[in-house]
Amino acid sequence: MSRIVIEGAYVATLDPARREFVGHVVAEGNRLVAVRPGPAPAYDDARVVDGRGCLVTPGFVNTHQHLYQWVTRGLAADATLFEWLTTLYPVWARISEETVYVAARAALAQLARTGCTTVADHHYVFPRDGGDLLAAEIAAASEIGLRFHPARGSMDRGQKDGGLPPDSVVENRDEILAATEAAIDRWHDPAPDSMLQIVVAPCSPFSVSGELMRESAELARRRGVRMHTHLAETTDETDWCRETFNCTPLEYADRLGWTGPDVWFAHGIHFDDAEIKHLGGTGTGVAHCPSSNARLGAGIARTADLRAAGSPVGLGVDGAASNESGSLVEELRHALLFARARGGPQALTVRAALEMATLDGARILGRSDDIGSLEPGKQADLAVWNLDTLPHAGIPDPVAALALSTPPPLKLLLANGRPVVEHDVLQTADEDALATQVARTQAALVG
């Protein structure tokens, strides 16, 4: 069993006592066995990493992504959400198994290079001749080496039924439910050290029927898996739900069984006070995607209010077609700054923002016992950030340096005990080759 010792670093454990200290972290295989102040004991067979000048945090958890969009970046750059979707859906209707594989490997590589060890991806576009798209992104995640929660998305309301997506990427309800259950049968691993867990994830109220939403919730709860969808992202969506269903998006989701501790919504920007209280009371989570929300001009989620109400709020980079950076550490900083822009400097502390990137994300995915903090017995998912650099040296608080300054380089990223990034270089794929493949694939897809 391999043993890695990180020595002399500043450690932000995120454990129940929120301990922070200069000390050591020891991983044996895929488990943490020691997280303590002071020097590590001597080991005969350990790899020792010099952590001086570094901050160790739990690996970040990305709670909302669309990996396939990495090969459609930079399009509809000045559009609203509905304009953006209308522009891009015809392009996405041409994706294939190879497209998704290339895009997913590149997007996952970028996530790893920005501190992410666990990824929830929402894939909902399934062209009929596209091949096995879910298998393609699962293979990509396995190769890059990240813990993966693919959300089997779906759409059954196409243009002929008043929806936005082309009818060529819309499935019927029976197909969707059968394919989703087959994905659970084939892929879902509920074990504590699982690297792969399936999520049930109809796309959004304006691309999915109420019947599919209700039956998807029943399926997820019968199979004991989690549930995810987009909700309350724009005022257009709120207006559409009021006109179509005579209620808000949350009221609509709630009546279909879509609230509870096994549910989380992407974006969740436009909730009122009563709705935030309801989300907190039911333990329903929110994936906060500040960069994408700003790129599309959708608004700023009330993250401080949601957290105060008891709703877990994780971070997401969203799709790369609405956040071309795809950097999770940037979402940490943007979440902090946007919360303060909305509610003042006390709205969100640097440590609360770090909790969103780690503990809250783990809770949303149902993995609080496995990941999200540095504690003996938990999975060896961690990031070693090099703060002995020009942008960070001299900032006395390492957590503030991570959250407020420019993204620091990674000295080491471990996912399931495996080095995925070392000295700011991806170890599990050739970055130059990935970039070449992306450029070629995007040119062929977009034309």
Side-chain angles (χ1 to χ4, degrees):
M1 182 179 295
S2 60
R3 180 182 288 120
I4 297 175
V5 178
I6 301 162
E7 179 75 278
Y10 189 90
V11 182
T13 66
L14 279 298
D15 68 7
R18 300 299 190 270
R19 293 182 306 148
E20 297 181 12
F21 47 75
V22 175
H24 64 275
V25 178
V26 181
E28 291 185 356
N30 67 353
R31 295 271 178 182
L32 299 176
V33 297
V35 184
R36 300 191 190 106
Y43 294 98
D44 293 333
D45 57 349
R47 174 189 170 187
V48 179
V49 176
D50 184 355
R52 290 174 296 178
C54 296
L55 166 67
V56 184
T57 69
F60 289 171
V61 179
N62 177 20
T63 59
H64 184 68
Q65 169 71 302
H66 306 297
L67 294 172
Y68 75 93
Q69 292 182 13
W70 193 263
V71 292
T72 59
R73 290 173 295 161
L75 306 178
D78 302 313
T80 66
L81 174 64
F82 278 24
E83 293 168 345
W84 175 85
L85 286 171
T86 302
T87 300
L88 284 163
Y89 267 136
V91 179
W92 296 336
R94 299 194 293 270
I95 63 173
S96 66
E97 193 171 334
E98 179 62 23
T99 305
V100 171
Y101 175 72
V102 169
R105 283 192 3 123
L108 289 160
Q110 173 69 352
L111 288 168
R113 295 192 74 256
T114 60
C116 181
T117 53
T118 300
V119 180
D121 182 65
H122 189 185
H123 189 94
Y124 55 86
V125 178
F126 290 92
R128 293 197 175 276
D129 57 353
D132 194 339
L133 306 188
L134 201 64
E137 65 171 13
I138 287 170
S142 177
E143 291 171 19
I144 298 300
L146 301 187
R147 209 173 294 277
F148 197 39
H149 286 237
R152 205 297 178 181
S154 55
M155 298 185 291
D156 69 341
R157 188 197 297 270
Q159 289 175 340
K160 67 180 177 60
D161 297 316
L164 289 176
D167 294 326
S168 62
V169 299
V170 169
E171 304 167 284
N172 70 51
R173 191 162 76 251
D174 290 341
E175 287 177 328
I176 290 165
L177 294 169
T180 303
E181 186 146 28
I184 297 169
D185 290 336
R186 181 180 179 187
W187 301 113
H188 185 72
D189 176 10
D193 60 353
S194 171
M195 294 294 287
L196 182 58
Q197 295 191 354
I198 298 295
V199 178
V200 176
C203 182
S204 64
F206 47 84
S207 58
V208 171
S209 67
E211 293 81 3
L212 178 59
M213 289 286 287
R214 184 181 292 108
E215 292 181 35
S216 293
E218 293 168 357
L219 168 61
R221 288 178 173 135
R222 174 168 55 83
R223 297 303 304 268
V225 302
R226 300 184 91 75
M227 301 154 56
H228 181 51
T229 191
H230 296 90
L231 203 76
E233 184 175 359
T234 66
T235 55
D236 287 343
E237 178 187 335
T238 301
D239 293 342
W240 186 87
C241 282
R242 287 194 182 280
E243 292 170 5
T244 307
F245 307 118
N246 195 32
C247 63
T248 68
L250 181 59
E251 289 169 339
Y252 177 65
D254 196 33
R255 74 170 63 152
L256 296 173
W258 275 78
T259 53
D262 56 349
V263 176
W264 85 100
F265 300 130
H267 304 293
I269 299 169
H270 300 285
F271 294 131
D272 63 24
D273 291 346
E275 290 177 322
I276 287 174
K277 181 178 180 181
H278 182 58
L279 290 167
T282 57
T284 307
V286 171
H288 179 39
C289 306
S291 298
S292 175
N293 296 345
R295 201 269 209 194
L296 292 170
I300 302 174
R302 296 170 60 182
T303 52
D305 295 336
L306 285 161
R307 298 182 83 247
S311 178
V313 181
L315 297 180
V317 303
D318 202 10
S322 63
N323 174 8
E324 282 74 3
S325 173
S327 165
L328 198 52
V329 70
E330 288 186 9
E331 299 309 310
L332 168 66
R333 183 170 185 257
H334 292 166
L336 179 64
L337 296 180
F338 288 9
R340 293 182 178 191
R342 182 181 188 111
Q346 302 304 314
L348 197 69
T349 68
V350 294
R351 282 164 175 78
L354 182 58
E355 287 183 8
M356 290 169 62
T358 55
L359 280 173
D360 285 356
R363 179 182 165 193
I364 280 172
L365 297 183
R367 304 298 298 270
S368 296
D369 292 339
D370 312 326
I371 60 174
S373 62
L374 301 178
E375 301 176 69
K378 283 199 167 186
Q379 298 298 299
D381 290 9
L382 60 82
V384 183
W385 304 95
N386 185 4
L387 301 180
D388 190 16
T389 61
L390 179 61
H392 310 95
I395 300 177
D397 180 353
V399 176
L402 174 67
L404 291 172
S405 187
T406 58
L410 277 170
K411 186 162 192 175
L412 178 68
L413 184 79
L414 295 183
N416 203 42
R418 178 189 183 190
V420 177
V421 177
E422 294 196 55
H423 303 292
D424 219 34
V425 176
L426 185 72
Q427 300 298 298
T428 53
D430 183 313
E431 294 180 35
D432 291 338
L434 291 178
T436 299
Q437 291 164 5
V438 165
R440 184 167 55 240
T441 300
Q442 179 153 358
L445 181 66
V446 176

